[in-house]
Amino acid sequence: MKAYLTIIIVFFSLSTFSQETKCECYSKSGVKEKTGIGGWTSIIGTNSEGEQLQYHFYAAYFPPQELCIPRDNFWWQDVNAAILKAIKSHPIYKSSQIALATDDPDATPKATNIAGQAFITQEKVYEIERLPGTIVSVDAYIQEHFASKLSLCGDINNKIDFNSPKEKNEEKALNNQGSYDTPVSKNNQSKNAQDFIGSQNEQFAKQQALNQQLANDLTQTFNQISNSWAEERDFQSKISSLTNIKSVNASSIVNEARSKAQQINNEYATRKQDALNQGVSATQNLVNSAQNEEQAIAGGILGAGLTALSQSNLEKERKKAQEKLENEKQQILNKLSQKIIDKFEPIKIQHKQAAIYALKKENEDYHLAQYEYAKCMTENAFKIVVDDYSCEKPQNSKPATKTKKPISGQDYFNAYKRKQKNSFELVRDKAPYFLELAIDAEPNKAEWLYEKTLVQGLDIYERASILKRVVAIDKSGQYKNDFDDVLKTIAELKLKEQQIINITLSKHKDYNWTEHDNLMRVYIDYQYEFAKPRHIVINKNGTKVLDFGNKYDFNNDNFRESEISKQYNNGRLRFRQSLNGTNLYGFLNTKGEIQTTPTYLNATHFSEGLSAVQDYTNQKWGFIDEFGKIVIDFKYAEAKAFSQGLAFVKKIKREKEGKYINPVTRQEVKVYVTEAVYINNKEDIIIEGSFDTGESFKNGYARVTRYTRNDSFMGGGNDKTYYIDKEGNEASEEESNLVDAFNSNNGYSTIKDGNYYAIVDSNGKITSKLKFHNKPIFNEGIAVVSTSTAWRAVFGTYTKYGYIDYTGKTIAKIKYTKAQPFENGKALVELNDEVFYIDKNGSRIIEDKDSNTEIEELSNIESVEDLEKILKEKYDEVTQSGNGFRIKKDERYGFINNDGKTTIPVDYKTLGLFYNGLAVFNDKSNGTFKKYGYINENGEIIVSEKYQECGNFSEGIAVVAKVSVLGRKVGYIDTNGNKITPLKYYTGTPFENGKAQVNDGNYFKPNIYYIDKEGNKISN
């Protein structure tokens, strides 16, 4: 914390002064009444204790009566120098240099802060006197240097009657205006001016004598204070010697630290009293030496301030020493505790692994006991060092002896059953491993096989396969019902599988079956925990012809690509497998067999009989044929699939220095200086240009991009993307629009037209009646589009949405406040606060039954788990909250309790999770400053919609805010909606451990502190 001492030394008037015939007349009642002669400067620095000190000096003279004085730049430079000289000879300045003890030029007063042309205003003086730090008003003794020059304006002073009204004086000055710029060369100057100068000199001499006496007293006082500071430095040295600890064992370290802390406090108490006595004495000396009441007041303030500063410094030194001593103690104790951790951590890991794989119970118990002991030692190492804490040692010191008896399947199965019930999670999780060992030893044990079907996370198809084997082995028939139940579930899954197939076919009516070998890979996600997602392959009739289960992955995370590239192409389907943590790519044939072993870091789909692949060893790209034969060697930095006889590649010119880590694969790759070109299948370069990247050719054109080369630190410029033909010529804008349209599946395309988007056909004609703010993204042949007027642009909530087909024809008018993409032939929209579905004709779909109707199955539930399963089948989203579940249907929220009762209907736009029995909700409020309230689990509104921001309740209190164009005000309420604090803060955090952090300042000038639950300010 900065310590500031404010000192005002009584200011004695500066004498007036002059130089040439350019004169300025001042009047107590004139417009220049508050303008005077003077200047100011500051010294800011840090003393030896690290404390920042500030000293501000100023000199100012305001004419006591109407007076004309010189006005010239050269003369003002002398005024400037005189003020600096007065400051540097002042005792406060000398003491500040001692306190700062620095040669830093920034801690030295400079002329640069002296007022230009020596003007100073009364307002400036007030401003200086309000600055933090030590304020000093100095007498610059200007008159002794410039009194003789004042006579140059004497003729003007002579013509002004100091006792006459203001109007007459102004008239006299106006009548003599010409004399302002006329050199005065008369030897006989005005007698009145000379008398005035003589009077000023006489007053100055008296005042100078008084000031010199005060300066001597101040110097003596500061010498006393300097001696006090020397004693403080001796105090610092003593307590610093008490911050080192020499003991080596824990108890001695603690005792030594306690003893030295007491010694520091004793030294502090002694020095504090001495400093107080010295300060009182110095203050009394200053007061006694004062020549008048003003000097006595200034002396008292100066002495009291310096005494307070001394006391503050002592307290800071004591705290600093105590903190250093405590840190020293903690560091030593931490080192001792770390030695314990280093010893027992390996032991803990060793016995943990041994317990997990122990076959015999006695060995498992032994290793678990040793593990728990080592764990206790590592977790309580500091307490063991400091508090004489001890961990209980295990009674058994040795594991059971090994036997030569062979291990049977029953031994493994017994271990499985035992570990299954173990309270230690790591041991319990390893139980299935021993079940597998038991089955491997005796594979025809129906009981053990059945036990495997109960293992959590087993896929339904795997379970069915095992149960089929169990039923075949066991003749009692006790497992047949389980097998039948699984078969029923699989039958239901097959129905859902067919539904997914049908939906997929309806979404991809434009799928090119011929191009993809009359096959389509479909991802089946049953959305059940017991049924893992699968990859299957169907023919154009929707019949499943291949089932890969979840054996392979068909995505490619290394670069963006279309869904088409994840299908069969040229009789090959690219797949991915993780080997030793690295994703490698290979290819399957149409029979589902591996045609090309996964050995490549990356690969494109097959096109024109070739696939671009990246070599695992040198990380370069080349091309292979359908049988895996290398056709073009691995020599390119990048390569893309062939199309219309050409493929984009980056030819390597040289290797760059340095390393690069691929952010996706996390593997180190080489970086090259490259040239972007298009080649044919004979490796001939067909197109080379000034582009940096390119796409595949389609209908005779390829889109390429040249990156901006602007190296300015401000950036700037845009990447240039354009089309080229197969000879490398750039297409015109009109040709580019036609290419976009012609390359689309339906002969239409989206183009950017100024700041808007529109739809064009293959002739380049705009077919959409409206232009849109968003780029239309088509789903099931229909896209959501939006428009907004200038008024709507200001208030974002007034943006309206509608739907168009791929030709630009309006399917549903642009009138909805919310709109989602079409899915399964319908889209969810909002109009006039009502949410409903529309079909592809834009007509409203009438639901068969209300979404809030009670679900009959809920009345027969046997557990909360069963309730959750049923809800997940009925609603779009189900989240456990409070004593029930928050549910979501068609973008609306509600709540069903654990008894299956709907207590909050699915009508709310917003419904948060329950905390302390209350959840944030929004029902009717709209607009930019939408309001929220709180509702309980019974559907009762506790706090109406009146806050723009509502936080979750914590410890029975929630932070809320009201927001408007004028800003935001934050406060706190209780669970009844009563205000704990007014809405007055800029920000606030939730309550934790009885306190919350608030800011009652703003973003630029924060004032952050903690409050308690009654809104009182507390320390953190």
Side-chain angles (χ1 to χ4, degrees):
M1 178 184 292
K2 296 180 181 179
Y4 297 121
L5 173 63
T6 301
I7 306 171
I8 302 293
I9 294 182
V10 180
F11 174 75
F12 302 100
S13 299
L14 296 176
S15 299
T16 52
F17 28 85
S18 65
Q19 194 214 7
E20 287 187 5
T21 58
K22 289 185 178 181
C23 301
E24 189 93 37
C25 291
Y26 290 82
S27 169
K28 290 184 70 176
S29 58
V31 293
K32 296 182 179 179
E33 176 185 350
K34 294 185 179 180
T35 302
I37 307 164
W40 65 94
T41 189
S42 300
I43 306 174
I44 300 176
T46 304
N47 64 16
S48 60
E49 288 77 27
E51 181 181 22
Q52 187 177 28
L53 300 178
Q54 299 189 29
Y55 300 87
H56 308 284
F57 300 86
Y58 75 90
Y61 171 72
F62 297 97
Q65 54 193 351
E66 291 180 321
L67 183 67
C68 295
I69 57 176
R71 180 78 165 80
D72 183 85
N73 288 343
F74 293 103
W75 182 67
W76 298 121
Q77 292 176 7
D78 292 335
V79 176
N80 189 334
I83 293 172
L84 283 176
K85 181 178 179 182
I87 291 172
K88 290 184 177 180
S89 63
H90 200 283
I92 295 287
Y93 169 76
K94 294 179 180 179
S95 66
S96 69
Q97 293 299 92
I98 295 173
L100 294 174
T102 178
D103 296 328
D104 184 357
D106 290 336
T108 304
K110 297 180 180 180
T112 53
N113 284 340
I114 297 298
Q117 299 186 345
F119 274 146
I120 193 169
T121 64
Q122 186 64 56
E123 182 62 31
K124 185 64 182 179
V125 172
Y126 292 155
E127 179 184 328
I128 295 169
E129 290 177 346
R130 289 193 295 267
L131 291 172
T134 303
I135 313 300
V136 183
S137 174
V138 299
D139 187 338
Y141 308 118
I142 303 294
Q143 183 173 338
E144 66 185 33
H145 300 287
F146 304 109
S148 61
K149 296 180 181 180
L150 185 62
S151 61
L152 297 178
C153 289
D155 59 334
I156 298 175
N157 286 307
N158 184 45
K159 294 173 184 178
I160 296 177
D161 185 355
F162 293 100
N163 297 315
S164 65
K166 169 188 172 185
E167 292 80 5
K168 291 184 178 181
N169 284 331
E170 289 178 345
E171 182 179 353
K172 289 180 181 180
L174 183 64
N175 291 335
N176 288 279
Q177 186 174 3
S179 66
Y180 282 25
D181 297 315
T182 303
V184 180
S185 56
K186 299 177 181 180
N187 294 325
N188 53 339
Q189 300 295 333
S190 169
K191 184 176 183 303
N192 288 339
Q194 295 292 345
D195 292 344
F196 175 77
I197 294 172
S199 174
Q200 290 291 304
N201 287 337
E202 185 177 339
Q203 292 180 17
F204 173 77
K206 292 179 181 180
Q207 191 61 59
Q208 188 177 34
L210 293 174
N211 289 345
Q212 185 60 49
Q213 178 61 43
L214 176 61
N216 293 338
D217 293 339
L218 285 172
T219 302
Q220 181 181 357
T221 300
F222 276 104
N223 288 336
Q224 294 178 11
I225 299 298
S226 297
N227 292 335
S228 176
W229 287 343
E231 292 178 13
E232 286 185 21
R233 285 193 288 272
D234 181 57
F235 163 73
Q236 293 169 10
S237 177
K238 286 182 179 179
I239 63 175
S240 178
S241 66
L242 295 171
T243 59
N244 297 320
I245 295 176
K246 298 180 180 179
S247 301
V248 292
N249 63 69
S251 59
S252 299
I253 292 169
V254 173
N255 291 333
E256 182 181 349
R258 189 179 296 117
S259 173
K260 288 187 173 180
Q262 184 60 48
Q263 292 179 55
I264 291 173
N265 287 335
N266 293 340
E267 289 288 341
Y268 164 73
T270 301
R271 178 65 199 121
K272 180 180 179 182
Q273 186 60 48
D274 291 345
L276 181 61
N277 295 337
Q278 292 169 350
V280 171
S281 175
T283 302
Q284 189 62 46
N285 290 340
L286 284 173
V287 173
N288 292 339
S289 63
Q291 301 298 317
N292 53 45
E293 183 178 356
E294 292 176 332
Q295 291 184 2
I297 293 173
I301 295 173
L302 173 63
L306 291 174
T307 302
L309 176 62
S310 174
Q311 296 286 296
S312 174
N313 286 339
L314 288 173
E315 173 63 17
K316 288 172 63 176
E317 289 300 326
R318 183 187 72 83
K319 288 183 178 180
K320 189 190 300 183
Q322 295 281 23
E323 289 174 0
K324 185 177 179 182
L325 178 64
E326 181 63 23
N327 290 337
E328 176 83 359
K329 180 187 76 173
Q330 289 295 328
Q331 288 179 8
I332 297 174
L333 294 177
N334 286 339
K335 287 180 181 179
L336 293 177
S337 61
Q338 188 60 45
K339 288 182 179 180
I340 295 176
I341 294 172
D342 293 343
K343 176 182 178 181
F344 283 94
E345 186 64 28
I347 297 174
K348 182 181 77 171
I349 295 173
Q350 173 191 345
H351 286 289
K352 179 181 73 174
Q353 294 299 317
I356 289 172
Y357 292 103
L359 184 64
K360 294 182 178 180
K361 182 181 184 305
E362 52 268 36
N363 286 342
E364 183 178 299
D365 292 341
Y366 164 76
H367 290 297
L368 280 177
Q370 295 294 330
Y371 165 80
E372 291 293 347
Y373 174 68
K375 180 183 177 185
C376 174
M377 293 296 290
T378 55
E379 291 180 352
N380 300 284
F382 191 82
K383 292 169 65 176
I384 292 169
V385 169
V386 177
D387 300 331
D388 198 24
Y389 183 89
S390 63
C391 296
E392 186 177 353
K393 291 185 178 181
Q395 295 180 353
N396 295 334
S397 59
K398 292 182 180 180
T401 57
K402 294 182 179 181
T403 62
K404 297 182 179 181
K405 178 184 175 182
I407 301 173
S408 66
Q410 189 64 48
D411 292 331
Y412 287 124
F413 187 76
N414 292 340
Y416 158 73
K417 297 297 285 185
R418 185 184 71 251
K419 291 178 184 292
Q420 221 184 8
K421 301 175 183 178
N422 198 295
S423 59
F424 187 44
E425 185 178 1
L426 289 173
V427 174
R428 192 167 62 251
D429 290 345
K430 204 63 182 179
Y433 167 75
F434 288 87
L435 179 59
E436 290 292 340
L437 292 176
I439 294 173
D440 287 344
E442 300 182 46
N444 293 321
K445 283 275 192 178
E447 178 190 356
W448 300 353
L449 288 169
Y450 178 75
E451 190 74 31
K452 184 177 179 180
T453 66
L454 304 179
V455 173
Q456 189 176 4
L458 196 66
D459 183 74
I460 188 69
Y461 288 96
E462 295 175 291
R463 190 162 178 244
S465 176
I466 297 171
L467 281 172
K468 182 178 179 180
R469 185 178 166 193
V470 170
V471 171
I473 295 172
D474 181 73
K475 304 302 181 182
S476 66
Q478 61 176 318
Y479 302 112
K480 189 176 185 308
N481 288 339
D482 293 86
F483 184 48
D484 291 340
D485 289 341
V486 169
L487 292 179
K488 288 179 183 179
T489 303
I490 290 177
E492 293 175 3
L493 292 178
K494 287 184 177 180
L495 288 175
K496 188 163 187 176
E497 180 180 290
Q498 190 59 52
Q499 290 175 353
I500 295 173
I501 291 173
N502 293 339
I503 292 171
T504 303
L505 290 174
S506 66
K507 283 184 177 180
H508 300 284
K509 292 181 179 179
D510 54 354
Y511 185 75
N512 191 328
W513 289 92
T514 303
E515 182 179 333
H516 300 295
D517 306 299
N518 291 314
L519 298 172
M520 177 189 285
R521 181 187 60 81
V522 180
Y523 179 67
I524 305 295
D525 187 358
Y526 303 104
Q527 296 185 336
Y528 294 123
E529 292 183 5
F530 59 82
K532 296 178 182 178
R534 311 174 71 78
H535 294 274
I536 66 170
V537 177
I538 61 173
N539 60 23
K540 63 191 311 180
N541 298 320
T543 303
K544 180 168 66 174
V545 295
L546 292 173
D547 190 339
F548 296 120
N550 46 49
K551 185 177 181 180
Y552 304 123
D553 183 6
F554 295 94
N555 290 319
N556 187 339
D557 295 333
N558 292 345
F559 53 82
R560 293 181 179 179
E561 57 186 358
S562 67
E563 188 67 27
I564 299 301
S565 65
K566 301 173 186 178
Q567 299 291 346
Y568 272 97
N569 294 278
N570 296 169
R572 300 292 179 264
L573 177 62
R574 184 191 61 201
F575 74 98
R576 179 176 69 181
Q577 275 189 323
S578 179
L579 301 174
N580 298 323
T582 302
N583 288 323
L584 298 176
Y585 294 84
F587 291 91
L588 303 167
N589 61 25
T590 54
K591 296 180 181 179
E593 302 165 338
I594 294 179
Q595 184 68 50
T596 304
T597 305
T599 55
Y600 298 108
L601 282 177
N602 213 330
T604 69
H605 65 282
F606 267 91
S607 178
E608 301 182 5
L610 298 175
S611 170
V613 293
Q614 187 180 21
D615 184 58
Y616 179 83
T617 305
N618 65 14
Q619 300 176 357
K620 296 179 182 178
W621 288 77
F623 291 84
I624 62 172
D625 63 16
E626 295 102 318
F627 302 100
K629 179 182 177 181
I630 299 174
V631 176
I632 298 177
D633 288 337
F634 300 106
K635 58 182 178 181
Y636 299 108
E638 184 181 332
K640 295 184 179 179
F642 270 92
S643 177
Q644 296 189 333
L646 298 176
F648 173 85
V649 298
K650 286 188 176 180
K651 189 175 69 171
I652 296 174
K653 298 173 71 173
R654 67 179 185 276
E655 185 176 341
K656 281 186 177 181
E657 296 182 0
K659 297 179 180 180
Y660 172 73
I661 303 297
N662 186 306
V664 177
T665 64
R666 310 308 305 166
Q667 295 174 330
E668 182 181 326
V669 295
K670 294 180 179 179
V671 181
Y672 303 99
V673 176
T674 62
E675 178 185 5
V677 299
Y678 282 88
I679 63 171
N680 61 19
N681 56 15
K682 296 181 180 179
E683 303 181 56
D684 301 322
I685 296 176
I686 305 302
I687 301 173
E688 52 186 342
S690 58
F691 47 85
D692 297 297
T693 186
E695 299 176 6
S696 297
F697 272 88
K698 189 174 183 181
N699 296 314
Y701 290 89
R703 186 161 54 183
V704 297
T705 300
R706 175 175 172 78
Y707 299 135
T708 180
R709 297 304 198 270
N710 194 325
D711 293 328
S712 166
F713 82 98
M714 290 293 289
N718 294 309
D719 298 340
K720 180 182 178 182
T721 298
Y722 54 96
Y723 283 99
I724 59 173
D725 60 22
K726 297 182 73 172
E727 295 180 354
N729 301 313
E730 182 176 345
S732 65
E733 182 177 354
E734 183 178 353
E735 288 174 327
S736 297
N737 287 339
L738 293 176
V739 171
D740 272 336
F742 194 66
N743 283 352
S744 68
N745 293 327
N746 300 302
Y748 292 86
S749 179
T750 301
I751 65 165
K752 189 77 179 290
D753 187 12
N755 294 324
Y756 300 91
Y757 292 91
I759 306 296
V760 297
D761 61 18
S762 57
N763 294 317
K765 179 183 177 181
I766 294 179
T767 58
S768 54
K769 292 183 180 180
L770 297 174
K771 295 180 180 179
F772 319 111
H773 283 84
N774 66 308
K775 183 177 181 180
I777 305 298
F778 289 91
N779 193 39
E780 298 187 12
I782 297 177
V784 180
V785 292
S786 67
T787 61
S788 63
T789 64
W791 177 259
R792 290 171 181 168
V794 176
F795 301 94
T797 56
Y798 288 89
T799 298
K800 301 294 185 180
Y801 300 90
Y803 295 87
I804 61 171
D805 66 12
Y806 61 85
T807 69
K809 178 184 176 182
T810 301
I811 298 299
K813 290 183 179 180
I814 298 176
K815 61 182 180 179
Y816 303 106
T817 51
K818 290 183 181 179
Q820 293 189 353
F822 267 86
E823 187 174 354
N824 300 327
K826 62 181 182 179
L828 191 66
V829 296
E830 181 184 74
L831 181 64
N832 299 326
D833 290 336
E834 189 178 3
V835 177
F836 53 90
Y837 283 100
I838 62 171
D839 60 22
K840 289 188 176 182
N841 296 317
S843 302
R844 179 169 179 168
I845 298 175
I846 306 300
E847 296 290 331
D848 292 336
K849 66 175 185 176
D850 192 342
S851 61
N852 290 328
T853 302
E854 291 289 342
I855 302 172
E856 294 180 3
E857 299 98 306
L858 300 187
S859 61
N860 299 318
I861 57 170
E862 297 180 357
S863 66
V864 175
E865 290 76 16
D866 292 340
L867 171 63
E868 184 175 10
K869 289 179 182 178
I870 294 174
L871 293 178
K872 286 185 176 180
E873 294 176 0
K874 301 292 182 180
Y875 294 98
D876 301 335
E877 181 182 299
V878 177
T879 307
Q880 202 283 327
S881 177
N883 297 306
F885 297 92
R886 182 186 67 179
I887 51 178
K888 178 182 178 184
K889 184 76 171 179
D890 299 341
E891 297 303 311
R892 295 284 174 156
Y893 293 89
F895 181 77
I896 293 178
N897 64 24
N898 287 337
D899 295 328
K901 181 181 179 181
T902 301
T903 57
I904 301 177
V906 189
D907 286 335
Y908 290 86
K909 299 176 185 177
T910 300
L911 181 65
L913 300 180
F914 283 97
Y915 292 87
N916 295 168
L918 295 177
V920 178
F921 84 95
N922 165 258
D923 182 21
K924 302 184 183 301
S925 177
N926 290 303
T928 302
F929 301 110
K930 186 185 300 182
K931 296 178 181 179
Y932 300 85
Y934 291 92
I935 191 171
N936 66 20
E937 294 183 16
N938 295 321
E940 300 168 339
I941 294 176
I942 305 302
V943 180
S944 62
E945 297 171 75
K946 61 181 179 181
Y947 298 110
Q948 280 76 24
E949 295 177 9
C950 289
N952 292 324
F953 273 88
S954 174
E955 300 183 7
I957 297 176
V959 57
V960 295
K962 287 195 173 183
V963 183
S964 68
V965 292
L966 301 177
R968 67 200 297 267
K969 292 295 182 182
V970 175
Y972 293 86
I973 63 172
D974 63 18
T975 52
N976 294 318
N978 301 318
K979 289 182 180 178
I980 299 299
T981 71
L983 299 178
K984 64 177 183 178
Y985 304 111
Y986 180 67
T987 60
T989 65
F991 269 87
E992 186 176 353
N993 297 324
K995 62 182 180 180
Q997 188 183 75
V998 296
N999 174 11
D1000 66 2
N1002 55 42
Y1003 179 83
F1004 299 100
K1005 293 183 178 180
N1007 182 30
I1008 298 172
Y1009 54 88
Y1010 284 92
I1011 61 172
D1012 61 19
K1013 290 187 177 182
E1014 296 179 354
N1016 300 316
K1017 184 176 180 180
I1018 58 175
S1019 62
N1020 57 357

